[in-house]
Amino acid sequence: MQTPLRFTRWLVLVLGLVMVGALEVSAAAKLPNFVVIFADDLGYGDLGCYGHPTIRTPNLDRMAAEGMRFTDFYASAPVCTPSRAGLLTGRLAVRSGMASSKRRVLFPESKGGLPANEITTATALKAKGYATAAVGKWHLGVVPGTLPTSHGFDSYFGIPYSNDMNRDNTKGPKGREAFWEPKTEYWNNPLMRNEEIIERPADQNTLTKRYTQESVSIIKANKDKPFFLYLAHNLPHVPLFVGKEYRGTSRRGLYGDVVEEIDWSVGQILETLRKEKLADNTLVFFTSDNGPWLIFNDHGGSAGLLKEGKGSTWDGGQRVPGIAWWPGKVRAGVVEGSIASTLDLFPTFMKLAGVAMPKDREYDGVDMGPLLFGKGKGNRDFFPYYRDVEVYAARLGQYKAHFATKSAYGKDPVVRPEIPELYDMGVDPGEQFNIAKQHPDVIEKIRELVKQHEASIKPVENQLEKQ
Ligand code: MG
């Protein structure tokens, strides 16, 4: 009888080891995938699910219906470069030197870029075994050491900055006239694969389609391992370009055509996730880097009822569409009044991937988990609005105080009122009725929080001013 008993013990031990092994494998397999879809200069009011009457966005509307749509979601800055630095690092651009009062963004000839010691979402997830890919606009540097492949991404495919840069002045009408009927050869922009230029000028009419095809292939190629896909469209930033299938199809004109093609792209990404049976293990987040560029008339978007647009610290500059999707995990519905930001994506992803937050630096992002998966109000009630390197305004709960104001792109001087302007963003999201006189206590509370925040900022080398 001894032998069978020993055999049984042995069998139990072996089975136990196999089960532990299986559990470990399934734990690793369960690491969620992350997809960030980042539009450029898309306004708060530009999607059907945010109330636009003539732009049709059925795929984003469905994403919002199945997922969570935010009413109070903020880009980390009102212009491209600092906004992108904030999203990918979870830190305000002032901390990485990616904001400046002299040059608001990086340019093709800029010598600076996201410093090597900054930890991006891609760097952190790659260390955990994730496949990582950047597709589309980068705008965090082109000098060696600053491209996506130096910041944790396995691959890169896209134009490394804004699509209106590298204007070829020998072609087309002068100045702003070139934008009204843009031709791809008016802008001598490079399309890159990793560190190589593969096409110049990039055929911008096919950009959205090619970024989508690239993204779909990346998802399919990595379906058996965790991945992070950062798809940052160059559009609907001006000059507006669109695929022939979408040209002239929208009641909103060329801008609407462009947004509707991006909506198609979102549909392709979500459909691929469904088909590959990845939908129940993938968090997708759709948002925009800043508000609409209003100086471009009907070639710019709409901030809906919000005041101002891109470049401004009025809400139209930074409050953007924000939609989270993860069927069966993210609570479906509209989350009203809870403040959240692109800054929060970094800590949210780290928590879900089981990566500890680095302890050697300050973070401005907070984990969105309670908001996304629980019944909670969320972890954030304070949000500072930076214009370049200065806090112009700050929100605390429903209140927003303006310590400085200036038009988005005008030459007017900065106004720093003795009594800051104060708005109730619940009653008055359009920031029309200053209630500072009725609530001096609220202003003092916000002023104190801004002071505490500013005390945490350490001086660093400015990357945007490097020549
Ligand atoms: Mg932008």
Side-chain angles (χ1 to χ4, degrees):
M1 291 302 285
Q2 259 185 343
T3 307
L5 189 63
R6 260 194 216 148
F7 177 74
T8 310
R9 276 188 196 146
W10 176 83
L11 194 66
V12 166
L13 184 69
V14 168
L15 278 176
L17 285 173
V18 168
M19 278 170 70
V20 168
L23 280 174
E24 274 173 6
V25 168
S26 74
K30 269 191 188 143
L31 281 176
N33 308 305
F34 303 108
V35 178
V36 173
I37 306 174
F38 206 29
D40 195 358
D41 292 9
L42 180 81
Y44 185 77
D46 281 329
L47 305 181
C49 52
Y50 280 85
H52 200 284
T54 58
I55 301 178
R56 290 165 302 184
T57 53
N59 294 294
L60 281 155
D61 299 353
R62 179 179 170 190
M63 181 183 176
E66 293 175 355
M68 179 175 280
R69 180 169 74 77
F70 291 77
T71 59
D72 294 50
F73 192 82
Y74 289 93
S76 68
V79 289
C80 301
T81 296
S83 173
R84 284 150 205 274
L87 182 146
L88 281 175
T89 63
R91 288 151 50 80
L92 285 158
V94 67
R95 298 192 194 276
S96 54
M98 295 295 279
S100 155
S101 50
K102 299 198 177 82
R103 309 191 96 192
R104 303 194 78 182
V105 296
L106 286 168
F107 291 88
E109 69 282 8
S110 293
K111 296 286 182 280
L114 191 65
N117 61 2
E118 286 297 324
I119 301 167
T120 70
T121 317
T123 315
L125 291 174
K126 190 179 168 69
K128 183 81 182 181
Y130 276 69
T132 55
V135 179
K137 176 169 169 175
W138 177 239
H139 217 177
L140 295 174
V142 290
V143 291
T146 64
L147 280 164
T149 45
S150 296
H151 275 295
F153 288 101
D154 298 331
S155 65
Y156 174 57
F157 175 69
I159 294 180
Y161 31 68
S162 298
N163 66 332
D164 65 338
M165 293 181 170
N166 284 315
R167 172 81 178 96
D168 181 347
N169 286 312
T170 65
K171 300 195 169 90
K174 298 275 168 266
R176 189 124 4 134
E177 290 302 309
F179 287 78
W180 305 133
E181 282 184 48
K183 294 205 165 36
T184 203
E185 62 268 24
Y186 296 176
W187 287 270
N188 190 30
N189 278 321
L191 181 70
M192 300 184 77
R193 183 165 289 285
N194 302 327
E195 297 94 25
E196 305 297 324
I197 295 173
I198 56 167
E199 184 178 304
R200 190 163 199 167
D203 177 1
Q204 295 206 44
N205 285 308
T206 59
L207 271 189
T208 299
K209 191 181 208 174
R210 285 192 283 171
Y211 288 172
T212 308
Q213 288 165 341
E214 175 83 3
S215 300
V216 166
S217 328
I218 287 163
I219 293 170
K220 287 183 175 170
N222 292 290
K223 63 181 177 184
D224 295 323
K225 64 182 294 197
F227 62 84
F228 167 49
L229 168 64
Y230 173 60
L231 165 54
H233 287 285
N234 274 98
L235 294 156
H237 191 293
V238 292
L240 297 174
F241 289 98
V242 71
K244 57 182 186 308
E245 299 87 346
Y246 281 87
R247 183 171 289 278
T249 57
S250 156
R251 287 170 64 205
R252 170 59 176 82
L254 184 54
Y255 184 86
D257 298 347
V258 172
V259 175
E260 292 188 4
E261 188 174 22
I262 288 173
D263 178 74
W264 162 81
S265 171
V266 171
Q268 294 295 301
I269 303 287
L270 300 189
E271 194 50 33
T272 304
L273 292 171
R274 286 190 199 97
K275 273 194 191 148
E276 299 295 336
K277 307 211 182 315
L278 295 168
D280 63 355
N281 196 36
T282 305
L283 173 59
V284 184
F285 207 98
F286 178 90
T287 188
S288 175
D289 70 331
N290 50 249
W293 208 355
L294 300 175
I295 57 171
F296 280 90
N297 306 350
D298 67 333
H299 281 227
S302 163
L305 54 45
L306 304 178
K307 188 166 177 174
E308 263 282 7
K310 173 177 176 174
S312 162
T313 46
W314 297 99
D315 254 39
Q318 277 185 254
R319 201 198 295 204
V320 286
I323 305 170
W325 183 88
W326 183 353
K329 282 283 278 186
V330 162
R331 189 157 44 106
V334 179
V335 57
E336 288 181 15
S338 288
I339 304 169
S341 167
T342 52
L343 292 164
D344 304 336
L345 294 174
F346 183 99
T348 304
F349 293 176
M350 293 311 119
K351 182 82 186 287
L352 289 165
V355 178
M357 289 292 286
K359 294 273 185 284
D360 63 342
R361 59 197 71 202
E362 294 275 348
Y363 278 89
D364 301 290
V366 295
D367 175 24
M368 280 196 283
L371 202 53
L372 292 173
F373 312 119
K375 293 191 166 57
K377 273 280 288 172
N379 287 333
R380 176 187 283 286
D381 62 354
F382 176 73
F383 183 79
Y385 299 68
Y386 269 84
R387 183 176 176 121
D388 308 326
V389 291
E390 183 181 343
V391 178
Y392 267 45
R395 191 167 157 183
L396 177 64
Q398 74 191 73
Y399 292 107
K400 177 177 174 184
H402 290 263
F403 302 95
T405 59
K406 179 173 162 55
S407 70
Y409 284 91
K411 299 237 179 285
D412 54 316
V414 186
V415 176
R416 293 188 175 81
E418 203 172 314
I419 302 173
E421 293 181 30
L422 186 74
Y423 297 91
D424 181 331
M425 302 305 284
V427 172
D428 179 24
E431 300 172 271
Q432 300 293 313
F433 313 110
N434 184 3
I435 53 168
K437 286 206 175 97
Q438 293 93 302
H439 298 284
D441 52 324
V442 174
I443 292 173
E444 283 320 303
K445 209 167 163 182
I446 297 177
R447 200 197 294 276
E448 188 48 44
L449 287 169
V450 169
K451 264 192 204 155
Q452 284 173 23
H453 162 75
E454 285 172 337
S456 76
I457 307 287
K458 297 184 185 83
V460 288
E461 183 183 17
N462 195 290
Q463 297 295 326
L464 274 50
E465 292 167 21
K466 267 191 186 175
Q467 298 289 329

